[in-house]
C-alpha cells in the first residue's frame, strides 16, 4: 500500500516517474524491494513503460496490479490509479489480517485434530480391531467401514501424504491456463454462497475505482478501460469489455451491465438511478461503501462459524470411531 501511495503523491506533485522512483527507493526499508525498485527505475530510464517493467516481477506484482498500471499510463491517469491501488491494497491487507486472526485458532485445531485422527486410524484402531478380526462373527457395518478406512490409510500412508500437495499443485497449474481459469471463474459464480461474495467484491471495487476516475474528470470509456484491470476474473473482464462496446455506441452504463451475473442486481439499479439523476459519481461511492461493509460483515461472520463447525465435524468423526469400536463389544456381551 505504501509504495503506490508514495508514488501517487510524488507524481501528483509534478515529479517525473524516474525521479519519483528514486525518491521512493531512498524511503524503502526492505532491501529486496529496494533492489527491485532500482531495477524498475533502470528499465524506465531505458525507455520501458512502468507496466512493461513490472511484468518482469510477476512474483511481486500481480497481473491485476500490472494491468491497472498499464491502463493508467495509457489513459494518463497513473497518479490516480496508484492512489486507488494503495486503497485496494490497504483494504485487502486489513481484511486479510482480520480473517487471519479469526482463523488462527480453528486452523491450528484442524491441523492438530487431523494429526490425532491420522495417528488413531493408523496405530490405535488397528490394534483394537485386530481383536475383532480373530472372532468368528459378522462385524457391524460401521466397524467394517472403520477397518477398511484404517487398512487403506495404513497401506497408502505415503501415497496420501504425497497426493495432497501434488494434487494442489496440479490444480493450481491447471487454473493458470486460459481454459482452466475460465472453468474455475465460472465455477465460483455457480456456488450460491461464493457467488454472493464474488458479486459484492466486484461491485465494491468497480464502483470505488470508476467513481474516483469519473470524479477526477476521466471520460467514461477511458475509465472503464482502467477498471477492466482491477480483477483477474475472466467473466468480470468480459462484462466490462461488453460495457465498453455498448457505451461507445451511446448506450447507458446501467443498461450495458444488466443481465449479467457479475454484479448484484441492486448495484446495477443504483447505477441506473445515478445516471438518471446526474449524480453517478456519488451513487458509485454509495455502492462501494454499501458493498464493502456487507462483504466485511459476511466474511467475518463466515470465519466465526468455522470454530463451532469444526468442533461438530471432529465430534462426529470421533463419535463414529467410538461407536464402531463399541458395537462389537456390546454384541459380545
Amino acid at each position: 500500500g505504501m509504495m503506490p501511495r508514495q508514488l501517487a503523491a510524488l507524481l501528483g506533485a509534478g515529479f517525473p516517474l524516474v525521479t519519483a522512483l528514486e525518491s521512493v527507493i531512498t524511503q524503502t526499508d526492505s532491501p529486496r524491494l529496494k533492489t527491485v525498485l532500482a531495477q524498475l527505475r533502470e528499465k524506465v530510464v531505458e525507455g520501458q513503460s512502468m507496466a512493461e517493467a513490472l511484468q518482469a516481477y510477476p512474483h511481486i506484482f500481480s497481473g491485476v496490479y500490472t494491468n491497472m498500471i498499464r491502463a493508467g499510463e495509457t489513459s494518463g491517469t497513473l497518479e490516480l490509479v496508484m492512489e486507488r491501488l494503495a486503497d485496494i491494497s490497504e483494504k485487502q491487507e486489513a481484511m486479510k489480517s482480520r480473517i487471519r486472526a479469526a482463523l488462527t485458532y480453528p486452523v491450528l485445531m484442524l491441523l492438530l485434530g487431523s494429526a490425532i485422527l491420522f495417528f488413531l486410524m493408523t496405530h490405535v484402531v488397528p490394534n483394537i480391531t485386530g481383536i475383532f478380526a480373530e472372532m468368528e462373527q459378522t462385524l457391524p457395518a460401521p466397524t467394517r467401514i472403520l477397518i477398511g478406512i484404517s487398512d487403506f490409510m495404513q497401506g497408502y500412508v505415503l501415497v496420501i501424504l504425497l497426493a495432497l500437495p501434488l494434487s494442489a499443485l496440479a490444480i493450481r497449474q491447471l487454473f493458470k491456463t486460459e481454459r482452466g481459469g475460465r472453468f474455475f471463474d465460472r465455477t465460483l459464480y455457480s456456488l450460491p454462497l461464493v457467488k454472493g461474495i464474488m458479486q459484492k467484491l466486484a461491485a465494491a471495487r468497480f464502483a470505488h475505482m470508476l467513481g474516483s476516475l469519473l470524479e477526477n474528470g476521466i471520460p467514461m470509456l477511458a475509465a472503464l478501460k482502467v477498471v477492466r484491470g482491477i480483477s483477474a476474473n475472466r467473466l468480470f473482464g468480459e462484462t466490462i469489455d461488453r460495457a465498453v462496446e455498448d457505451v461507445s455506441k451511446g448506450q447507458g452504463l446501467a443498461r450495458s451491465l444488466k443481465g449479467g451475473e457479475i454484479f448484484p442486481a441492486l448495484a446495477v439499479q443504483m447505477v441506473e438511478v445515478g445516471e438518471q439523476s446526474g449524480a453517478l459519481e456519488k451513487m458509485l461511492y454509495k455502492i462501494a461503501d454499501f458493498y464493502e461493509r456487507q462483504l466485511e460483515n459476511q466474511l467475518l461472520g463466515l470465519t466465526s462459524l468455522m470454530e463451532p463447525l469444526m468442533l461438530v465435524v471432529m465430534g462426529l468423526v470421533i463419535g463414529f470411531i467410538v461407536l464402531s469400536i463399541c458395537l462389537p463389544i456390546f454384541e459380545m456381551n
Side-chain angles (χ1 to χ4, degrees), residues 158-203:
L158 288 176
V159 175
I160 294 169
L161 293 176
L162 286 172
L164 291 174
L166 288 176
S167 298
L169 185 62
I171 291 170
R172 185 180 177 186
Q173 291 301 317
L174 175 65
F175 289 154
K176 283 185 177 180
T177 65
E178 182 63 30
R179 194 171 180 179
R182 186 177 175 76
F183 172 78
F184 177 66
D185 293 341
R186 188 160 290 284
T187 301
L188 286 177
Y189 276 93
S190 67
L191 303 173
L193 184 62
V194 179
K195 179 180 179 180
I197 292 172
M198 295 292 292
Q199 285 184 326
K200 291 181 179 70
L201 180 62

Side-chain angles (χ1 to χ4, degrees), residues 67-329:
N67 288 339
M68 286 184 67
I69 295 296
R70 181 182 291 107
E73 287 181 307
T74 304
S75 60
T77 59
L78 184 58
E79 169 205 341
L80 198 54
V81 168
M82 284 284 188
E83 197 70 48
R84 296 293 74 81
L85 267 172
D87 291 341
I88 291 171
S89 299
E90 286 166 6
K91 285 179 181 177
Q92 276 184 334
E93 283 305 312
M95 176 64 72
K96 281 179 183 176
S97 65
R98 285 196 289 271
I99 291 174
R100 203 178 290 123
L103 285 178
T104 299
Y105 178 68
V107 168
L108 286 174
M109 196 167 66
L110 174 65
L111 294 174
L112 182 61
S114 299
I116 292 171
L117 284 175
F118 193 80
F119 177 77
L120 283 173
M121 295 299 289
T122 56
H123 292 82
V124 179
V125 170
N127 293 332
I128 298 172
T129 55
I131 300 169
F132 302 148
E134 295 172 3
M135 298 184 304
E136 294 182 1
Q137 66 178 41
T138 305
L139 295 172
T143 310
R144 293 199 304 272
I145 292 170
L146 181 68
I147 292 171
I149 295 171
S150 178
D151 290 344
F152 176 80
M153 291 180 74
Q154 279 183 289
Y156 296 94
V157 59
L158 288 176
V159 175
I160 294 169
L161 293 176
L162 286 172
L164 291 174
L166 288 176
S167 298
L169 185 62
I171 291 170
R172 185 180 177 186
Q173 291 301 317
L174 175 65
F175 289 154
K176 283 185 177 180
T177 65
E178 182 63 30
R179 194 171 180 179
R182 186 177 175 76
F183 172 78
F184 177 66
D185 293 341
R186 188 160 290 284
T187 301
L188 286 177
Y189 276 93
S190 67
L191 303 173
L193 184 62
V194 179
K195 179 180 179 180
I197 292 172
M198 295 292 292
Q199 285 184 326
K200 291 181 179 70
L201 180 62
R205 285 187 176 180
F206 171 83
H208 187 81
M209 177 64 78
L210 185 62
S212 178
L213 291 168
L214 294 177
E215 190 178 47
N216 283 273
I218 309 304
M220 175 64 79
L221 281 175
L224 283 172
K225 288 174 182 176
V226 174
V227 172
R228 168 73 169 80
I230 66 174
S231 174
N233 188 287
R234 289 160 178 80
L235 301 183
F236 178 90
E238 290 170 6
T239 300
I240 303 303
D241 285 340
R242 285 196 299 271
V244 168
E245 187 178 344
D246 292 341
V247 170
S248 67
K249 295 176 182 175
Q251 191 169 290
L253 177 62
R255 190 177 172 188
S256 69
L257 297 176
K258 276 183 180 177
E261 57 184 348
I262 301 303
F263 300 110
L266 177 61
V268 179
Q269 290 172 5
M270 291 173 76
V271 169
E272 190 169 22
V273 171
E275 284 185 304
Q276 291 172 354
S277 63
L280 180 59
E281 293 89 344
K282 289 182 180 178
M283 185 61 78
L284 286 168
Y285 280 130
K286 287 180 181 178
I287 293 169
D289 291 339
F290 176 72
Y291 283 107
E292 279 170 4
R293 283 197 299 270
Q294 275 206 348
L295 185 64
E296 183 173 349
N297 292 336
Q298 188 172 359
L299 287 174
L300 291 176
L302 287 173
T303 52
S304 66
L305 285 174
M306 289 290 291
E307 188 176 335
L309 184 63
M310 286 176 56
L311 284 172
V312 170
V313 171
M314 296 293 286
L316 289 173
V317 173
I318 297 293
F320 173 75
I321 293 173
V322 172
L323 178 68
S324 302
I325 291 170
C326 288
L327 278 176
I329 296 172

Side-chain angles (χ1 to χ4, degrees), residues 43-57:
K43 290 178 186 295
V44 172
V45 168
E46 290 169 5
Q48 290 188 23
S49 67
M50 182 76 167
E52 288 173 337
L54 291 175
Q55 281 182 324
Y57 309 95

